[in-house]
Every structure is written in structure tokens, then in C-alpha cells.
PDB file of all heavy atoms in Angstrom:
ATOM      1  N   ASP A   1      -2.065  90.924 -11.411  1.00 91.00           N
ATOM      2  CA  ASP A   1      -3.155  91.669 -12.066  1.00 91.00           C
ATOM      3  C   ASP A   1      -2.785  93.145 -12.247  1.00 91.00           C
ATOM      4  O   ASP A   1      -3.583  94.030 -12.130  1.00 91.00           O
ATOM      5  CB  ASP A   1      -4.427  91.485 -11.311  1.00 91.00           C
ATOM      6  CG  ASP A   1      -4.982  90.136 -11.260  1.00 91.00           C
ATOM      7  OD1 ASP A   1      -4.834  89.368 -12.307  1.00 91.00           O
ATOM      8  OD2 ASP A   1      -5.505  89.719 -10.273  1.00 91.00           O
ATOM      9  N   GLY A   2      -1.438  93.422 -12.603  1.00 88.00           N
ATOM     10  CA  GLY A   2      -1.033  94.665 -12.881  1.00 88.00           C
ATOM     11  C   GLY A   2      -0.608  95.553 -11.668  1.00 88.00           C
ATOM     12  O   GLY A   2      -0.102  96.656 -11.830  1.00 88.00           O
ATOM     13  N   THR A   3      -0.767  95.053 -10.416  1.00 93.00           N
ATOM     14  CA  THR A   3      -0.470  95.785  -9.267  1.00 93.00           C
ATOM     15  C   THR A   3       0.940  95.267  -8.718  1.00 93.00           C
ATOM     16  O   THR A   3       1.147  94.048  -8.638  1.00 93.00           O
ATOM     17  CB  THR A   3      -1.487  95.588  -8.124  1.00 93.00           C
ATOM     18  OG1 THR A   3      -2.780  96.063  -8.707  1.00 93.00           O
ATOM     19  CG2 THR A   3      -1.082  96.414  -6.974  1.00 93.00           C
ATOM     20  N   ALA A   4       1.871  96.197  -8.346  1.00 94.00           N
ATOM     21  CA  ALA A   4       3.194  95.790  -7.913  1.00 94.00           C
ATOM     22  C   ALA A   4       3.208  95.408  -6.445  1.00 94.00           C
ATOM     23  O   ALA A   4       2.599  95.979  -5.565  1.00 94.00           O
ATOM     24  CB  ALA A   4       4.162  96.981  -8.170  1.00 94.00           C
ATOM     25  N   TYR A   5       3.963  94.272  -6.267  1.00 95.00           N
ATOM     26  CA  TYR A   5       4.087  93.712  -4.926  1.00 95.00           C
ATOM     27  C   TYR A   5       5.547  93.442  -4.617  1.00 95.00           C
ATOM     28  O   TYR A   5       6.320  93.108  -5.442  1.00 95.00           O
ATOM     29  CB  TYR A   5       3.343  92.459  -4.715  1.00 95.00           C
ATOM     30  CG  TYR A   5       1.815  92.566  -4.644  1.00 95.00           C
ATOM     31  CD1 TYR A   5       1.093  92.703  -5.840  1.00 95.00           C
ATOM     32  CD2 TYR A   5       1.194  92.582  -3.397  1.00 95.00           C
ATOM     33  CE1 TYR A   5      -0.347  92.813  -5.859  1.00 95.00           C
ATOM     34  CE2 TYR A   5      -0.224  92.783  -3.411  1.00 95.00           C
ATOM     35  CZ  TYR A   5      -0.939  92.842  -4.583  1.00 95.00           C
ATOM     36  OH  TYR A   5      -2.383  92.994  -4.582  1.00 95.00           O
ATOM     37  N   SER A   6       5.941  93.529  -3.353  1.00 95.00           N
ATOM     38  CA  SER A   6       7.271  93.089  -2.860  1.00 95.00           C
ATOM     39  C   SER A   6       7.106  91.727  -2.132  1.00 95.00           C
ATOM     40  O   SER A   6       6.123  91.632  -1.261  1.00 95.00           O
ATOM     41  CB  SER A   6       7.847  94.075  -1.922  1.00 95.00           C
ATOM     42  OG  SER A   6       9.039  93.623  -1.317  1.00 95.00           O
ATOM     43  N   LEU A   7       7.956  90.738  -2.399  1.00 95.00           N
ATOM     44  CA  LEU A   7       7.906  89.482  -1.784  1.00 95.00           C
ATOM     45  C   LEU A   7       8.849  89.397  -0.599  1.00 95.00           C
ATOM     46  O   LEU A   7       8.808  88.422   0.087  1.00 95.00           O
ATOM     47  CB  LEU A   7       8.212  88.415  -2.787  1.00 95.00           C
ATOM     48  CG  LEU A   7       7.420  88.312  -4.092  1.00 95.00           C
ATOM     49  CD1 LEU A   7       7.956  87.266  -5.045  1.00 95.00           C
ATOM     50  CD2 LEU A   7       5.974  88.180  -3.837  1.00 95.00           C
ATOM     51  N   ASN A   8       9.685  90.340  -0.430  1.00 90.00           N
ATOM     52  CA  ASN A   8      10.726  90.243   0.544  1.00 90.00           C
ATOM     53  C   ASN A   8      10.254  90.052   1.945  1.00 90.00           C
ATOM     54  O   ASN A   8       9.406  90.840   2.438  1.00 90.00           O
ATOM     55  CB  ASN A   8      11.698  91.472   0.517  1.00 90.00           C
ATOM     56  CG  ASN A   8      12.356  91.570  -0.763  1.00 90.00           C
ATOM     57  OD1 ASN A   8      12.586  90.647  -1.503  1.00 90.00           O
ATOM     58  ND2 ASN A   8      12.809  92.854  -1.061  1.00 90.00           N
ATOM     59  N   GLY A   9      10.722  89.064   2.649  1.00 88.00           N
ATOM     60  CA  GLY A   9      10.293  88.721   4.044  1.00 88.00           C
ATOM     61  C   GLY A   9       9.050  88.118   4.238  1.00 88.00           C
ATOM     62  O   GLY A   9       8.613  87.790   5.401  1.00 88.00           O
ATOM     63  N   HIS A  10       8.290  87.769   3.188  1.00 91.00           N
ATOM     64  CA  HIS A  10       6.987  87.178   3.255  1.00 91.00           C
ATOM     65  C   HIS A  10       6.878  85.871   2.565  1.00 91.00           C
ATOM     66  O   HIS A  10       5.971  85.043   2.846  1.00 91.00           O
ATOM     67  CB  HIS A  10       5.882  88.110   2.774  1.00 91.00           C
ATOM     68  CG  HIS A  10       5.991  89.529   3.305  1.00 91.00           C
ATOM     69  ND1 HIS A  10       5.649  89.753   4.582  1.00 91.00           N
ATOM     70  CD2 HIS A  10       6.257  90.639   2.763  1.00 91.00           C
ATOM     71  CE1 HIS A  10       5.794  91.036   4.728  1.00 91.00           C
ATOM     72  NE2 HIS A  10       6.209  91.617   3.717  1.00 91.00           N
ATOM     73  N   SER A  11       7.891  85.551   1.728  1.00 95.00           N
ATOM     74  CA  SER A  11       7.795  84.304   1.012  1.00 95.00           C
ATOM     75  C   SER A  11       8.727  83.250   1.563  1.00 95.00           C
ATOM     76  O   SER A  11       9.684  83.626   2.337  1.00 95.00           O
ATOM     77  CB  SER A  11       8.173  84.555  -0.523  1.00 95.00           C
ATOM     78  OG  SER A  11       7.292  85.456  -1.116  1.00 95.00           O
ATOM     79  N   THR A  12       8.490  82.006   1.330  1.00 95.00           N
ATOM     80  CA  THR A  12       9.378  80.956   1.916  1.00 95.00           C
ATOM     81  C   THR A  12       9.626  79.936   0.722  1.00 95.00           C
ATOM     82  O   THR A  12       8.984  79.906  -0.248  1.00 95.00           O
ATOM     83  CB  THR A  12       8.603  80.255   2.974  1.00 95.00           C
ATOM     84  OG1 THR A  12       7.429  79.577   2.580  1.00 95.00           O
ATOM     85  CG2 THR A  12       8.425  81.120   4.167  1.00 95.00           C
ATOM     86  N   GLY A  13      10.651  79.155   0.998  1.00 95.00           N
ATOM     87  CA  GLY A  13      11.019  78.135   0.022  1.00 95.00           C
ATOM     88  C   GLY A  13      11.865  76.971   0.485  1.00 95.00           C
ATOM     89  O   GLY A  13      12.236  76.998   1.615  1.00 95.00           O
ATOM     90  N   THR A  14      11.943  75.981  -0.348  1.00 96.00           N
ATOM     91  CA  THR A  14      12.793  74.807  -0.078  1.00 96.00           C
ATOM     92  C   THR A  14      13.685  74.440  -1.206  1.00 96.00           C
ATOM     93  O   THR A  14      13.394  74.897  -2.310  1.00 96.00           O
ATOM     94  CB  THR A  14      11.864  73.569   0.246  1.00 96.00           C
ATOM     95  OG1 THR A  14      11.225  73.183  -0.957  1.00 96.00           O
ATOM     96  CG2 THR A  14      10.875  73.763   1.378  1.00 96.00           C
ATOM     97  N   PHE A  15      14.773  73.771  -0.934  1.00 98.00           N
ATOM     98  CA  PHE A  15      15.703  73.376  -1.998  1.00 98.00           C
ATOM     99  C   PHE A  15      16.472  72.093  -1.566  1.00 98.00           C
ATOM    100  O   PHE A  15      16.892  72.027  -0.447  1.00 98.00           O
ATOM    101  CB  PHE A  15      16.709  74.446  -2.299  1.00 98.00           C
ATOM    102  CG  PHE A  15      17.578  74.232  -3.475  1.00 98.00           C
ATOM    103  CD1 PHE A  15      17.123  74.492  -4.760  1.00 98.00           C
ATOM    104  CD2 PHE A  15      18.907  73.706  -3.349  1.00 98.00           C
ATOM    105  CE1 PHE A  15      17.967  74.247  -5.845  1.00 98.00           C
ATOM    106  CE2 PHE A  15      19.717  73.476  -4.391  1.00 98.00           C
ATOM    107  CZ  PHE A  15      19.267  73.678  -5.709  1.00 98.00           C
ATOM    108  N   SER A  16      16.553  71.151  -2.447  1.00 98.00           N
ATOM    109  CA  SER A  16      17.262  69.905  -2.156  1.00 98.00           C
ATOM    110  C   SER A  16      17.943  69.384  -3.502  1.00 98.00           C
ATOM    111  O   SER A  16      17.542  69.730  -4.532  1.00 98.00           O
ATOM    112  CB  SER A  16      16.352  68.894  -1.619  1.00 98.00           C
ATOM    113  OG  SER A  16      15.296  68.497  -2.556  1.00 98.00           O
ATOM    114  N   ILE A  17      19.013  68.670  -3.245  1.00 98.00           N
ATOM    115  CA  ILE A  17      19.798  68.038  -4.374  1.00 98.00           C
ATOM    116  C   ILE A  17      19.996  66.535  -4.150  1.00 98.00           C
ATOM    117  O   ILE A  17      20.213  66.103  -2.957  1.00 98.00           O
ATOM    118  CB  ILE A  17      21.194  68.740  -4.493  1.00 98.00           C
ATOM    119  CG1 ILE A  17      21.062  70.171  -4.569  1.00 98.00           C
ATOM    120  CG2 ILE A  17      21.917  68.172  -5.699  1.00 98.00           C
ATOM    121  CD1 ILE A  17      22.443  70.831  -4.618  1.00 98.00           C
ATOM    122  N   ASP A  18      19.809  65.780  -5.167  1.00 97.00           N
ATOM    123  CA  ASP A  18      20.209  64.315  -5.124  1.00 97.00           C
ATOM    124  C   ASP A  18      21.450  64.284  -6.058  1.00 97.00           C
ATOM    125  O   ASP A  18      21.424  64.331  -7.204  1.00 97.00           O
ATOM    126  CB  ASP A  18      19.056  63.509  -5.716  1.00 97.00           C
ATOM    127  CG  ASP A  18      19.474  61.979  -5.621  1.00 97.00           C
ATOM    128  OD1 ASP A  18      20.685  61.683  -5.674  1.00 97.00           O
ATOM    129  OD2 ASP A  18      18.513  61.201  -5.518  1.00 97.00           O
ATOM    130  N   PHE A  19      22.607  64.242  -5.368  1.00 97.00           N
ATOM    131  CA  PHE A  19      23.877  64.392  -6.142  1.00 97.00           C
ATOM    132  C   PHE A  19      24.090  63.105  -6.929  1.00 97.00           C
ATOM    133  O   PHE A  19      24.661  63.192  -8.052  1.00 97.00           O
ATOM    134  CB  PHE A  19      25.073  64.522  -5.151  1.00 97.00           C
ATOM    135  CG  PHE A  19      25.107  65.876  -4.466  1.00 97.00           C
ATOM    136  CD1 PHE A  19      24.700  66.046  -3.149  1.00 97.00           C
ATOM    137  CD2 PHE A  19      25.487  66.999  -5.263  1.00 97.00           C
ATOM    138  CE1 PHE A  19      24.847  67.241  -2.584  1.00 97.00           C
ATOM    139  CE2 PHE A  19      25.450  68.282  -4.598  1.00 97.00           C
ATOM    140  CZ  PHE A  19      25.215  68.373  -3.266  1.00 97.00           C
ATOM    141  N   GLY A  20      23.626  61.983  -6.519  1.00 96.00           N
ATOM    142  CA  GLY A  20      23.801  60.718  -7.290  1.00 96.00           C
ATOM    143  C   GLY A  20      23.031  60.772  -8.560  1.00 96.00           C
ATOM    144  O   GLY A  20      23.550  60.394  -9.689  1.00 96.00           O
ATOM    145  N   ALA A  21      21.829  61.280  -8.551  1.00 97.00           N
ATOM    146  CA  ALA A  21      20.987  61.366  -9.710  1.00 97.00           C
ATOM    147  C   ALA A  21      21.166  62.636 -10.472  1.00 97.00           C
ATOM    148  O   ALA A  21      20.755  62.753 -11.681  1.00 97.00           O
ATOM    149  CB  ALA A  21      19.424  61.286  -9.348  1.00 97.00           C
ATOM    150  N   GLY A  22      21.860  63.627  -9.857  1.00 97.00           N
ATOM    151  CA  GLY A  22      22.062  64.920 -10.596  1.00 97.00           C
ATOM    152  C   GLY A  22      20.799  65.749 -10.697  1.00 97.00           C
ATOM    153  O   GLY A  22      20.729  66.538 -11.630  1.00 97.00           O
ATOM    154  N   THR A  23      19.895  65.588  -9.733  1.00 98.00           N
ATOM    155  CA  THR A  23      18.616  66.386  -9.812  1.00 98.00           C
ATOM    156  C   THR A  23      18.522  67.355  -8.696  1.00 98.00           C
ATOM    157  O   THR A  23      19.060  67.135  -7.609  1.00 98.00           O
ATOM    158  CB  THR A  23      17.452  65.372  -9.823  1.00 98.00           C
ATOM    159  OG1 THR A  23      17.506  64.576  -8.646  1.00 98.00           O
ATOM    160  CG2 THR A  23      17.472  64.470 -11.095  1.00 98.00           C
ATOM    161  N   VAL A  24      17.714  68.398  -8.928  1.00 98.00           N
ATOM    162  CA  VAL A  24      17.461  69.352  -7.954  1.00 98.00           C
ATOM    163  C   VAL A  24      15.873  69.505  -7.838  1.00 98.00           C
ATOM    164  O   VAL A  24      15.178  69.420  -8.800  1.00 98.00           O
ATOM    165  CB  VAL A  24      18.066  70.783  -8.119  1.00 98.00           C
ATOM    166  CG1 VAL A  24      19.556  70.613  -8.130  1.00 98.00           C
ATOM    167  CG2 VAL A  24      17.590  71.329  -9.448  1.00 98.00           C
ATOM    168  N   ASP A  25      15.388  69.809  -6.660  1.00 98.00           N
ATOM    169  CA  ASP A  25      13.992  70.062  -6.332  1.00 98.00           C
ATOM    170  C   ASP A  25      13.833  71.271  -5.518  1.00 98.00           C
ATOM    171  O   ASP A  25      14.605  71.487  -4.613  1.00 98.00           O
ATOM    172  CB  ASP A  25      13.338  68.845  -5.605  1.00 98.00           C
ATOM    173  CG  ASP A  25      13.266  67.611  -6.530  1.00 98.00           C
ATOM    174  OD1 ASP A  25      12.313  67.507  -7.310  1.00 98.00           O
ATOM    175  OD2 ASP A  25      14.123  66.722  -6.339  1.00 98.00           O
ATOM    176  N   THR A  26      12.932  72.118  -5.817  1.00 98.00           N
ATOM    177  CA  THR A  26      12.721  73.333  -5.080  1.00 98.00           C
ATOM    178  C   THR A  26      11.217  73.715  -5.069  1.00 98.00           C
ATOM    179  O   THR A  26      10.429  73.262  -5.930  1.00 98.00           O
ATOM    180  CB  THR A  26      13.510  74.499  -5.715  1.00 98.00           C
ATOM    181  OG1 THR A  26      13.469  75.567  -4.901  1.00 98.00           O
ATOM    182  CG2 THR A  26      12.962  74.911  -7.160  1.00 98.00           C
ATOM    183  N   SER A  27      10.823  74.521  -4.161  1.00 97.00           N
ATOM    184  CA  SER A  27       9.445  75.068  -4.063  1.00 97.00           C
ATOM    185  C   SER A  27       9.568  76.488  -3.605  1.00 97.00           C
ATOM    186  O   SER A  27      10.330  76.856  -2.777  1.00 97.00           O
ATOM    187  CB  SER A  27       8.582  74.172  -3.218  1.00 97.00           C
ATOM    188  OG  SER A  27       8.898  74.280  -1.804  1.00 97.00           O
ATOM    189  N   LEU A  28       8.625  77.306  -4.178  1.00 97.00           N
ATOM    190  CA  LEU A  28       8.491  78.721  -3.741  1.00 97.00           C
ATOM    191  C   LEU A  28       7.066  78.937  -3.289  1.00 97.00           C
ATOM    192  O   LEU A  28       6.134  78.689  -4.095  1.00 97.00           O
ATOM    193  CB  LEU A  28       8.804  79.659  -4.872  1.00 97.00           C
ATOM    194  CG  LEU A  28      10.259  79.500  -5.526  1.00 97.00           C
ATOM    195  CD1 LEU A  28      10.342  80.586  -6.603  1.00 97.00           C
ATOM    196  CD2 LEU A  28      11.279  79.770  -4.493  1.00 97.00           C
ATOM    197  N   THR A  29       6.863  79.350  -2.087  1.00 97.00           N
ATOM    198  CA  THR A  29       5.539  79.787  -1.605  1.00 97.00           C
ATOM    199  C   THR A  29       5.593  81.300  -1.568  1.00 97.00           C
ATOM    200  O   THR A  29       6.238  81.913  -0.664  1.00 97.00           O
ATOM    201  CB  THR A  29       5.198  79.238  -0.205  1.00 97.00           C
ATOM    202  OG1 THR A  29       5.156  77.808  -0.253  1.00 97.00           O
ATOM    203  CG2 THR A  29       3.866  79.746   0.294  1.00 97.00           C
ATOM    204  N   LEU A  30       4.942  81.920  -2.488  1.00 97.00           N
ATOM    205  CA  LEU A  30       5.039  83.407  -2.712  1.00 97.00           C
ATOM    206  C   LEU A  30       3.960  84.140  -1.975  1.00 97.00           C
ATOM    207  O   LEU A  30       2.744  83.822  -2.142  1.00 97.00           O
ATOM    208  CB  LEU A  30       5.045  83.679  -4.198  1.00 97.00           C
ATOM    209  CG  LEU A  30       6.115  83.011  -5.035  1.00 97.00           C
ATOM    210  CD1 LEU A  30       5.979  83.486  -6.560  1.00 97.00           C
ATOM    211  CD2 LEU A  30       7.534  83.338  -4.572  1.00 97.00           C
ATOM    212  N   ALA A  31       4.372  85.190  -1.281  1.00 96.00           N
ATOM    213  CA  ALA A  31       3.434  86.011  -0.651  1.00 96.00           C
ATOM    214  C   ALA A  31       4.036  87.396  -0.557  1.00 96.00           C
ATOM    215  O   ALA A  31       5.246  87.486  -0.401  1.00 96.00           O
ATOM    216  CB  ALA A  31       3.062  85.510   0.827  1.00 96.00           C
TER     217      ALA A  31
END
């Protein structure tokens, strides 16, 4: 809403790969 925020040190995430299918999945929980 127009106000600047820093996400460093407060956000979390996940990342995974299925090499056989050639797909990636990720999630970002932003704070």
C-alpha cells in the first residue's frame, strides 16, 4: 500500500525439484 518494507530475516521459503518430471515447486512466506 505504498509503504516500503524490508523482508530480510523475516521471510521463509521452500524449494523442491522433481528431476524426472523436470518440475520445480516453491513457496514464499513473506513478512
Side-chain angles (χ1 to χ4, degrees):
D1 296 324
T3 301
Y5 289 84
S6 171
L7 306 177
N8 297 338
H10 307 292
S11 300
T12 58
T14 65
F15 187 81
S16 63
I17 305 176
D18 185 329
F19 290 108
T23 58
V24 300
D25 292 279
T26 189
S27 69
L28 302 180
T29 298
L30 302 182

